[in-house]
Structure formats: C-alpha cells, structure tokens
Amino acid sequence: MEITKVTIREKLVIDANVLMEDPRDYDFSPRASMEGSTISLHNEGEEGISTSTELDTEQMQIAERDRAFELRVKFSVEGMHGILTHKTKNVRTGPNSKKLAEPRWKTVLPITM
C-alpha cells in the first residue's frame, strides 16, 4: 500500500495504490490511525504500518474535526498490468481504442487517534 496524494475537498481525501499478489485476493480491510501530524494506513490483520504520511496544519485540522477521511484506492495486480508489446497502427480499431479496466474503490474511513 502506498499513499500517493492527500487533498482537501469538503473533507480530507487520501489517494492510495494497493498492490495485490493475486486477482482473487479479496482480503482488504484498511484501518487508519493518527499520531501527532502523521496519518498511517494498514490492512487489518497485518502487523505494523503499511504506509504513512505527514499532514500539514490545515489537513490536520480537517482530520481532527471530522475524525474520518475519504479513502480512494487504485488496485493493481503484480504481473497483470504490463507493457503492451504489439501496437495496432490504426488505433480506432485496435486494442488501444479503449483503456484497460482499472479497479478502483472509494470509502469513508474513521481515524483512530
């Protein structure tokens, strides 16, 4: 798990990338905790912290006010989303005419302080 971006909309929004080992790996239950100005994410059942980031003062105020944030996750499976080696010359009729499906997930996650 890797935090890619932290922004403020109506509430705190955290974007994260999650790398799965198997496409049928459905065991993902994220948990968040905050100590000082550092917010940490980990998967329930795993020991230790997967990823963490420092929040600025405005982001900390929003997190303390709401005690929750919106988590937007982009999943990828190691080895499945590689590089396209054979490109079609006429892109309107070939495999480049549409994007590959990208599994995404969005939820509101409470913060343990």
Side-chain angles (χ1 to χ4, degrees), residues 7 9 14 17-18 36-37 42-43 51 65 71 76-78 82-83 87-88 113:
T7 57
R9 301 239 168 121
I14 297 179
N17 288 336
V18 174
S37 64
H42 70 279
N43 193 13
T51 185
R65 179 193 72 192
L71 177 65
S76 61
V77 180
E78 190 171 350
I83 298 170
K87 293 187 177 182
T88 306
M113 296 197 177

Side-chain angles (χ1 to χ4, degrees), residues 2-7 11-16 32 39-41 53 55 69-73 107 111:
E2 174 190 11
I3 294 176
T4 56
K5 185 170 66 169
V6 178
T7 57
K11 58 183 147 216
L12 190 65
V13 178
I14 297 179
D15 292 346
I39 192 159
S40 305
L41 294 175
T53 189
L55 300 178
F69 64 93
E70 182 177 312
L71 177 65
R72 299 189 303 190
V73 179
T107 188
I111 301 172

